[in-house]
Amino acid sequence: MCKIYKILYAAIPLKKWKSALIRRHFERCPRCAEEFNYKDHVVRAFFKPEWIQGASSVWPQVRAQIILRKNEPEALRPAISPPRLRLPIRALAAAISAFFILGTIGFFLLRPHGRKLSGPESSLSTKPAAAVPRVQVISVELGGKRAKAYIYQTPTASFIWIAPSQETGGLR
Amino acid sequence: MKKTFVITFFLGVLSLAPVWAFAQGNYIIESRFFRGARNDTPSRLGAPVFITSFSDPLFIPSRPPLLTAGDEPNPASAMKLELANIYKLKTVDDVSSGQILWDGKKTRLSEAILLDGNLYPIHLFPRTLDDRTISLRIEVRRDTGRDEGEKILNSEITLSFDDPVVLGFPVNGHSYFLSLEVKKTSLAEVGQVAIEPREGELNWRQARAILPQPTFTVTPVYPEKCKEENIQGWVALYVYTNVQGKVLRVRVLGSSHPALAKSAVEAIRQWRYQPVMWKGKPIYSEFYMTVDFRLRDLSPSAEGTEEDAGKK
Amino acid sequence: MGPTDDGQTIARCLAGDREAFEMIVNKYQSGVLTLAWSVLGNRAEAEDAAQEAFIRAYVNLQNFDRAKDFKNWLYAIVHKRCLDRIRKLKTEKKYRSRMAEAAAPVMSGFKTEPGADESAVLSPLLKKLTVKERLAASLSMNEGYTAAEIAGILHCAESTARVHLFNAKRKLRKGLERNPHVQNL
């Protein structure tokens, strides 16, 4: 019989109904009650670790912070939020989800093609893909001194050889 | 009534999901380091095991690359071929590889390559410009034990997504090449976390931001069996050190082959680091590490380079 | 000490006697720490949350309805602080890579430094519960709270609180049956 209740408990989706089941059977049936208070003393030990017993008072730290914060004009949120306004929940939910859906559609339709750029990068990405350089060297230093960059591109990669300014081409 | 609200809210939120995926953005910055030489120098790279540390999360492929000699050319070997052709190099060797996960927001990504007993910190400063291009400042340094080390390279470039850029530069007679490719990925592909910060530790953010420097290293031994079967591969690790710089734990995130992983872990366990200082006190560190096992490089043969000598 | 004693202490605090709040802190510290720890599972975080909760309570003392029970009001603050902290930790965790096989929680097998306080960390048994379940179980076992009182802390319906508590007990029982050795932790 208890097994049927257990199966029922697993099958029921709503917490309210599960709660009713607990009150009607699991808390009343002596066998089930014993089962769920199994090794209660052992379980309790897990929830009360030793270090808490021996922990020193946190008052000094709390006191220090209270003094510190009192000197700061900090606006803290209330610890428990004030009573909420009574809003039409359904209407609000519908409005919010509509906003999200429209927002997503709008985002994909209207999203800008790149952010505002400045400097050397401004020539990038406003042009069609074909004209965008695959790589650009903004600056290069070798051993702390300005150096030269020699770019060689293949379909698979861009190779940049960096040589000291005095030299003429280095490896290439 | 509450349920109606919850359900309609949920639907509304779901409709926003594609926007989130785009807006948040996740990128993979594939970083490879090579060393090239014009001459066939006998002691090219010493030990065939390369170790790189990363301060930032790595993308761990579900099947890390396992290469045996005679494999189909992979992207790395194709790139090495191109480097050899373009710059007339006799040999091009792998030094490091890693795929760094970038959230699109973090301003600095760091890695540190151990090469020939020298530590080379590399810092990347990425910034998205638009949906096609990204600005990247690259700093390559050499650790001298003082400050941030000697600055070797400092360069700012802009590049396009899925289009690799290879920066080549000379250092002490060798040519080094840093290949960077930024790929877009989605959170779903990458998956949601789980390297949890340590219990009871409050400065985990600093512990992860700065890479500690190794003071004592042990090179992983190339397993005999793998040598015989010509197996080469890659191991990704997550390393925890304590405030004394001792390695507490090495966790394997992924590997091409379990024997390689075992060898890597056994070696890294013995490493010692200079602890990172934070507000005047040493703190623990956590970071990612990749160990590349390479039996022999996949350089082009001598004939190949001579053939192309006539080309541009 | 009963609610009237709290009322007198609170009156003194509001009148400007800051040191009177020490009595409140000492009286409720143990319960607050237990609650915070059962939610956050981490000693350092729990201590932080406890301190913050007391500070918030002090600063907002004038908003407390003295007809109500102070302990419940305080525990609700603690709960909120803990949830804020969890939310913050979640956003910080968001951008990390994961192995496909990373199903096993990091804590299993992770060795803390020798000499570290093992009890400062949630046992694997408690980790199987959700935050609300742990909270409900902790309040029930340590404070003897009924479902209605737990609902007041969790800001949910009484039926919901009852279900959380029941599920917690079920999971704990299953956990104990599967791992009898866990009792020795």
Side-chain angles (χ1 to χ4, degrees):
Chain A
M1 189 59 190
C2 293
K3 189 138 190 195
I4 295 174
Y5 279 111
K6 284 183 190 170
I7 294 169
L8 208 62
Y9 183 84
I12 293 172
L14 290 174
K15 286 207 168 73
K16 218 168 186 173
W17 295 355
K18 281 191 193 273
S19 169
L21 200 63
I22 295 169
R23 293 182 82 166
R24 289 196 75 175
H25 176 81
F26 294 115
E27 280 176 357
R28 291 188 198 171
C29 164
R31 203 168 349 156
C32 289
E34 194 196 312
E35 204 181 318
F36 292 115
N37 289 321
Y38 176 78
K39 298 211 175 166
D40 209 33
H41 57 287
V42 174
V43 171
R44 271 176 206 277
F46 279 112
F47 280 95
K48 199 91 188 192
E50 285 167 18
W51 66 267
I52 290 181
Q53 259 55 297
S56 45
S57 172
V58 300
W59 171 242
Q61 295 94 313
V62 170
R63 184 176 177 278
Q65 279 296 316
I66 289 171
I67 294 170
L68 204 72
R69 291 183 199 201
K70 232 183 164 93
N71 295 335
E72 292 172 18
E74 189 186 320
L76 285 171
R77 275 209 313 254
I80 308 290
S81 31
R84 295 211 179 99
L85 297 167
R86 291 204 174 278
L87 290 168
I89 296 284
R90 277 209 191 107
L92 197 64
I96 289 173
S97 34
F99 171 74
F100 278 137
I101 292 168
L102 285 174
T104 314
I105 296 170
F107 180 86
F108 281 113
L109 282 178
L110 302 168
R111 72 179 160 176
H113 296 283
R115 303 182 205 137
K116 285 221 183 300
L117 305 168
S118 61
E121 299 108 40
S122 56
S123 60
L124 290 171
S125 83
T126 44
K127 299 180 188 171
V132 175
R134 287 160 63 193
V135 70
Q136 272 196 332
V137 180
I138 311 296
S139 69
V140 75
E141 270 175 26
L142 204 57
K145 301 197 185 81
R146 278 185 62 175
K148 282 198 182 147
Y150 299 87
I151 305 179
Y152 178 79
Q153 288 187 313
T154 70
T156 48
S158 305
F159 297 85
I160 304 172
W161 178 255
I162 296 158
S165 271
Q166 297 88 346
E167 287 183 17
T168 46
L171 266 185
R172 267 205 84 225
Chain B
M1 191 154 72
K2 239 188 215 173
K3 260 196 5 162
T4 324
F5 175 68
V6 168
I7 290 169
T8 37
F9 181 75
F10 205 61
L11 283 175
V13 160
L14 272 180
S15 72
L16 206 52
V19 181
W20 283 359
F22 174 81
Q24 280 177 343
N26 254 304
Y27 306 87
I28 292 175
I29 301 184
E30 189 164 301
S31 153
R32 290 185 194 277
F33 206 68
F34 306 102
R35 183 155 85 176
R38 276 247 173 92
N39 307 309
D40 206 347
T41 43
S43 61
R44 281 204 302 273
L45 272 165
V49 178
F50 310 118
I51 298 168
T52 314
S53 310
F54 298 83
S55 66
D56 299 280
L58 295 179
F59 172 70
I60 314 287
S62 50
R63 270 196 311 186
L66 179 69
L67 309 158
T68 47
D71 260 5
E72 299 270 299
N74 59 22
S77 62
M79 180 164 289
K80 291 197 293 189
L81 261 166
E82 274 198 297
L83 282 171
N85 290 343
I86 295 164
Y87 298 111
K88 314 285 177 285
L89 301 165
K90 204 75 185 276
T91 59
V92 180
D93 293 303
D94 295 283
V95 173
S96 152
S97 71
Q99 299 187 72
I100 302 167
L101 265 182
W102 181 48
D103 59 7
K105 290 191 194 130
K106 198 162 184 220
T107 49
R108 185 174 100 157
L109 308 166
S110 300
E111 59 179 285
I113 299 175
L114 204 58
L115 178 61
D116 285 346
N118 282 314
L119 190 71
Y120 294 88
I122 296 180
H123 303 295
L124 303 173
F125 302 85
R127 201 165 43 97
T128 48
L129 295 174
D130 57 45
D131 61 351
R132 248 184 254 128
T133 40
I134 173 172
S135 149
L136 191 59
R137 184 164 78 81
I138 300 130
E139 252 183 47
V140 178
R141 291 175 176 270
R142 188 175 68 86
D143 180 54
T144 52
R146 264 195 336 159
D147 302 322
E148 292 198 23
E150 171 200 334
K151 217 190 251 190
I152 295 175
L153 175 73
N154 187 12
S155 174
E156 185 165 352
I157 60 171
T158 61
L159 65 156
S160 312
F161 291 117
D162 302 307
D163 198 354
V165 168
V166 185
L167 291 167
F169 51 98
V171 179
N172 294 334
H174 280 108
S175 306
Y176 292 95
F177 300 92
L178 176 63
S179 157
L180 295 162
E181 184 183 350
V182 186
K183 301 186 262 206
K184 280 195 224 181
T185 182
S186 66
L187 267 180
E189 203 181 296
V190 164
Q192 289 264 328
V193 203
I195 309 256
E196 304 207 3
R198 284 198 225 183
E199 298 284 333
E201 297 285 355
L202 298 175
N203 48 16
W204 60 271
R205 206 190 294 273
Q206 286 69 44
R208 290 176 170 188
I210 308 162
L211 286 170
Q213 291 150 14
T215 54
F216 171 74
T217 63
V218 172
T219 309
V221 168
Y222 213 118
E224 279 306 316
K225 197 159 168 285
C226 293
K227 267 200 217 176
E228 284 162 25
E229 291 171 21
N230 275 330
I231 288 174
Q232 309 184 66
W234 177 85
V235 180
L237 307 167
Y238 196 71
V239 181
Y240 300 84
T241 69
N242 66 6
V243 296
Q244 280 109 30
K246 187 168 172 268
V247 171
L248 271 185
R249 183 186 176 197
V250 180
R251 188 176 153 194
V252 178
L253 299 175
S255 74
S256 307
H257 192 281
L260 298 176
K262 186 162 178 273
S263 166
V265 170
E266 273 167 12
I268 305 301
R269 255 205 198 119
Q270 303 171 61
W271 283 35
R272 293 283 185 279
Y273 286 88
Q274 180 72 32
V276 170
M277 298 299 279
W278 179 251
K279 293 188 178 166
K281 284 209 185 116
I283 60 168
Y284 76 98
S285 287
E286 303 178 1
F287 50 91
Y288 298 79
M289 202 187 239
T290 59
V291 182
D292 289 77
F293 289 84
R294 292 268 184 274
L295 260 180
R296 69 185 87 139
D297 62 279
L298 301 168
S299 300
S301 57
E303 293 87 54
T305 39
E306 266 153 23
E307 235 176 50
D308 300 318
K311 295 185 189 165
K312 189 184 173 206
Chain C
M1 280 218 249
T4 41
D5 295 309
D6 280 347
Q8 286 175 359
T9 315
I10 291 166
R12 281 171 60 192
C13 293
L14 287 170
D17 184 1
R18 184 176 52 223
E19 306 303 317
F21 198 65
E22 185 180 1
M23 290 203 283
I24 301 246
V25 169
N26 291 338
K27 179 178 174 186
Y28 292 111
Q29 174 174 303
S30 175
V32 165
L33 277 174
T34 307
L35 199 68
W37 180 81
S38 69
V39 173
L40 296 168
N42 174 315
R43 176 175 178 170
E45 298 275 359
E47 284 172 339
D48 272 354
Q51 284 173 29
E52 192 56 40
F54 279 122
I55 294 164
R56 293 255 163 182
Y58 180 83
V59 169
N60 291 288
L61 219 44
Q62 66 269 23
N63 297 335
F64 168 60
D65 179 359
R66 284 191 256 176
K68 302 244 170 87
D69 188 73
F70 179 76
K71 185 159 81 164
N72 288 353
W73 185 72
L74 180 63
Y75 280 9
I77 295 174
V78 175
H79 179 224
K80 189 171 183 301
R81 295 275 93 232
C82 292
L83 288 183
D84 284 347
R85 184 63 190 141
I86 289 176
R87 217 172 292 133
K88 225 182 157 197
L89 285 171
K90 277 202 179 126
T91 7
E92 282 162 357
K93 267 204 273 187
K94 237 190 334 181
Y95 302 107
R96 306 259 183 250
S97 64
R98 175 169 78 156
M99 266 306 287
E101 306 107 54
V106 179
M107 291 314 297
S108 64
F110 176 70
K111 301 271 180 289
T112 50
E113 291 218 43
D117 187 1
E118 290 279 345
S119 77
V121 150
L122 274 186
S123 78
L125 185 70
L126 293 194
K127 283 214 157 187
K128 290 199 159 67
L129 276 58
T130 67
V131 166
K132 290 197 173 145
E133 286 167 0
R134 276 206 298 271
L135 205 79
S138 177
L139 286 170
S140 166
M141 293 195 183
N142 292 318
E143 310 284 345
Y145 273 28
T146 61
E149 290 168 321
I150 294 171
I153 308 293
L154 288 178
H155 284 304
C156 64
E158 186 184 330
S159 50
T160 311
R162 184 171 288 110
V163 170
H164 285 316
L165 185 57
F166 184 72
N167 289 344
K169 286 191 175 177
R170 261 195 336 165
K171 284 185 185 175
L172 289 165
R173 178 182 61 87
K174 274 202 189 124
L176 278 179
E177 279 177 350
R178 278 201 199 119
N179 297 306
H181 65 273
V182 114
Q183 297 168 49
N184 299 325
L185 264 178

